[in-house]
C-alpha cells in the first residue's frame, strides 16, 4: 500500500475503526488531531465516512475525514446532544414488522422525518408478512396516500427480497427500525454471505433483544453498500426548525399549498387547507396528529 490511501469507514470500535481500502479491510486507530474537511459539531467517525489513511500497514492511521454528503442524526437518548448514525447514506429502508413485534407508526413517522430532513430517500419495508399483516392493515394506506415507496417482505419466505435487492443495488442504503423486525435477516436474504447474527424474540415481551450491537457498512456483491444498524427503541429528532417539519411530511406539505398564511402551522389558523383536508377525509387524522405532536415537541425543544 502507498503512504496515503482513501477508504470508507465500515465499523467503529471505540478508538479503532474498520476501514475498507479497495479490496483490503484494515482495523486502524485515528489521529487525535484528525483533519476534518468541514465544520461539524460531533467530531466522531461514523460508518460511511470517507477517510484518508496515512502511513503503511501496520502503522496506518486515519488522518483525514471527507465532507459528508448526508448525515443521519438523532438526539442522543437521555442527553441534549446529537448522535450521528451514519454518513454518506443515500437511501434508508425503514423496517417494521407487519405484525410482531407490534409495529409503531409514531416511530415510523419520526424515522421518515429524519430521512427527509437529512436528504435521504426513505423506503418503508414491512417485514415478516408470512405472519400476516394485521398490525398494519388499518394504517398502511396513510403511507400509500402520502406517496411513500412501500415494500411488503418476508426474509423467511424471500417475498420481496428480489425487489429489495434491486432497490439497494448501486446505492448506499441504511436499514433501520426497532429491534427484532428482521433488519439483519433481510440483509442475509439479500446476500447470505454476510452471515449477520439474527436474534430471537422475547416470549415475555414480544420484543427483539438487540442482537445487532454496532452499525456496520457492508459492500454489496454487485455495486453499492448496505448498513445494518442496532434496533431503535425511540428516535429523538435533532436540529430541525419547527417550520421545516411540514417539508418532512409529504402529505401535509401537499395539503398545505392552499393555506392563507405562508407560515401556517396548521394547528388553528383560519383558511387552513390542511385542516380542511383532515375534515374532508383526504388527509389521515393519524398523520396530522403525528405532525402536530412533533411540531409541539420541536417548538418546546427550541424554547428550552
Ligand atoms: N417469521 C419471520 N421471522 C423473521 C423474518 N425475518 C426475521 N425473522 C426473525 O425475527 C428475529 C429477529 O430478526 P433479526 O434479523 O435479528 O432482527 P433485527 O431487526 O436485526 O434486530 P436487532 O439486531 O436486534 O435490531 C429472528 O428470529 C429472525 O429469524 C420473517 O420474514 N418472518
Ligand atoms: Mg440485527
Ligand atoms: Zn395550514
Amino acid at each position: 500500500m502507498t503512504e496515503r490511501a482513501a477508504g470508507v469507514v465500515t465499523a467503529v470500535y471505540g478508538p479503532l475503526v474498520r476501514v475498507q481500502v479497495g479490496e483490503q479491510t484494515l482495523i486502524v486507530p485515528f489521529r487525535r488531531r484528525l483533519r476534518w474537511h468541514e465544520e461539524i459539531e460531533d467530531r466522531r467517525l461514523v460508518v460511511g465516512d470517507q477517510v484518508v489513511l496515512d502511513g503503511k500497514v501496520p502503522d496506518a492511521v486515519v488522518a483525514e475525514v471527507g465532507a459528508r454528503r448526508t448525515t443521519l442524526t438523532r438526539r442522543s437518548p437521555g442527553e441534549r446532544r446529537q448522535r450521528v448514525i451514519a454518513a454518506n447514506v443515500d437511501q434508508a429502508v425503514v423496517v417494521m414488522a407487519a405484525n410482531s413485534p407490534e409495529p409503531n407508526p409514531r416511530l415510523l413517522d419520526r424515522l421518515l422525518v429524519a430521512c427527509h430532513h437529512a436528504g435521504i430517500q426513505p423506503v418503508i419495508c414491512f417485514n415478516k408478512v408470512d405472519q400476516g399483516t394485521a398490525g398494519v392493515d388499518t394504517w398502511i394506506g396513510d403511507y400509500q396516500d402520502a406517496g411513500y415507496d412501500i415494500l411488503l417482505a418476508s426474509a423467511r419466505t424471500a417475498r420481496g427480497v428480489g425487489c429489495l435487492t434491486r432497490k439497494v443495488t448501486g446505492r448506499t442504503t441504511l436499514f433501520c427500525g426497532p429491534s427484532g423486525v428482521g433488519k439483519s435477516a433481510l440483509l442475509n436474504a439479500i446476500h447470505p454471505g454476510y452471515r449477520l447474527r439474527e436474534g430471537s424474540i422475547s416470549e415475555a415481551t414480544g420484543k427483539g433483544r438487540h442482537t445487532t450491537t454496532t452499525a456496520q457498512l457492508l459492500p454489496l456483491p454487485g455495486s453499492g453498500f448496505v448498513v445494518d444498524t442496532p434496533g431503535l427503541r425511540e428516535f429523538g429528532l435533532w436540529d430541525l426548525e419547527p417550520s421545516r417539519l411540514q417539508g418532512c411530511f409529504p402529505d401535509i406539505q401537499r395539503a398545505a399549498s392552499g393555506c392563507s398564511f405562508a407560515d401556517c402551522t396548521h394547528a388553528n389558523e383560519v383558511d387552513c387547507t390542511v385542516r380542511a383536508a383532515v375534515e374532508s377525509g383526504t388527509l389521515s387524522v393519524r398523520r396530522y396528529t403525528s405532525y402536530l405532536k412533533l411540531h409541539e415537541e420541536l417548538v418546546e425543544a427550541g424554547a428550552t
Side-chain angles (χ1 to χ4, degrees):
M1 202 169 78
T2 55
E3 297 265 334
R4 287 172 79 74
V8 58
V9 173
T10 60
V12 178
Y13 310 109
L16 298 175
V17 291
R18 194 177 74 195
V19 181
Q20 184 85 29
V21 182
E23 296 291 296
Q24 248 187 323
T25 302
L26 306 171
I27 309 269
V28 293
F30 44 87
R31 285 227 170 101
R32 269 175 81 92
R33 298 184 63 184
L34 261 178
R35 177 155 178 248
W36 292 79
H37 284 255
E38 65 184 335
E39 265 313 307
I40 60 161
E41 201 182 312
D42 185 5
R43 292 188 153 217
R44 278 182 287 192
L45 289 166
V46 295
V47 293
D49 266 324
Q50 300 285 345
V51 293
V52 176
L53 300 184
D54 211 352
K56 284 202 177 103
V57 177
D59 299 318
V61 291
V62 177
E64 290 179 33
V65 192
R68 292 169 175 166
R69 205 172 60 250
T70 65
T71 309
L72 183 64
T73 308
R74 69 188 289 210
R75 176 186 289 264
S76 185
E79 290 180 292
R80 279 190 64 85
R81 55 182 295 187
Q82 63 171 339
R83 177 140 218 127
V84 178
I85 298 171
N88 302 318
V89 162
D90 23 69
Q91 177 171 250
V93 176
V94 182
V95 187
M96 292 275 157
N99 197 24
S100 172
E102 192 183 350
N104 178 346
R106 287 162 309 283
L107 179 61
L108 176 59
D109 287 340
R110 283 172 179 274
L111 292 170
L112 294 173
V113 167
C115 289
H116 289 295
H117 181 46
I120 295 169
Q121 195 180 330
V123 174
I124 303 173
C125 176
F126 293 111
N127 186 36
K128 308 200 191 187
V129 292
D130 55 286
Q131 296 180 333
T133 56
V136 299
D137 284 340
T138 56
W139 48 266
I140 192 171
D142 294 352
Y143 297 89
Q144 282 158 341
D145 293 347
Y148 282 104
D149 189 359
I150 301 170
L151 189 71
L152 298 180
S154 166
R156 181 149 300 170
T157 66
R159 174 166 169 199
V161 171
C163 184
L164 196 53
T165 304
R166 282 191 294 281
K167 284 186 195 297
V168 300
T169 300
R171 316 184 69 178
T172 298
T173 306
L174 179 120
F175 282 61
C176 60
S179 178
V181 297
K183 299 178 294 296
S184 302
L186 284 168
L187 290 169
N188 283 335
I190 290 172
H191 181 50
Y194 290 147
R195 296 164 170 267
L196 298 168
R197 218 156 76 78
E198 295 176 26
S200 54
I201 302 296
S202 160
E203 295 255 334
T205 63
K207 296 203 168 126
R209 297 174 192 265
H210 295 274
T211 305
T212 304
T213 53
T214 172
Q216 63 169 325
L217 181 86
L218 304 152
L220 281 159
S223 68
F225 292 89
V226 288
V227 183
D228 191 16
T229 63
L232 297 159
R233 269 195 209 91
E234 52 175 357
F235 193 97
L237 296 174
W238 181 259
D239 199 25
L240 176 56
E241 280 287 316
S243 62
R244 294 187 57 194
L245 182 65
Q246 77 168 42
C248 301
F249 273 81
D251 38 0
I252 306 268
Q253 175 88 321
R254 212 180 310 126
S257 59
C259 291
S260 286
F261 301 103
D263 59 354
C264 185
T265 65
H266 323 302
N268 44 34
E269 290 90 340
V270 291
D271 294 332
C272 171
T273 49
V274 171
R275 282 194 296 138
V278 175
E279 277 154 29
S280 70
T282 54
L283 177 65
S284 146
V285 180
R286 204 197 49 73
R287 285 277 290 169
Y288 173 64
T289 310
S290 183
Y291 160 82
L292 285 182
K293 279 193 182 151
L294 283 177
H295 192 270
E296 200 175 329
E297 181 183 307
L298 294 172
V299 169
E300 277 171 16
T304 54

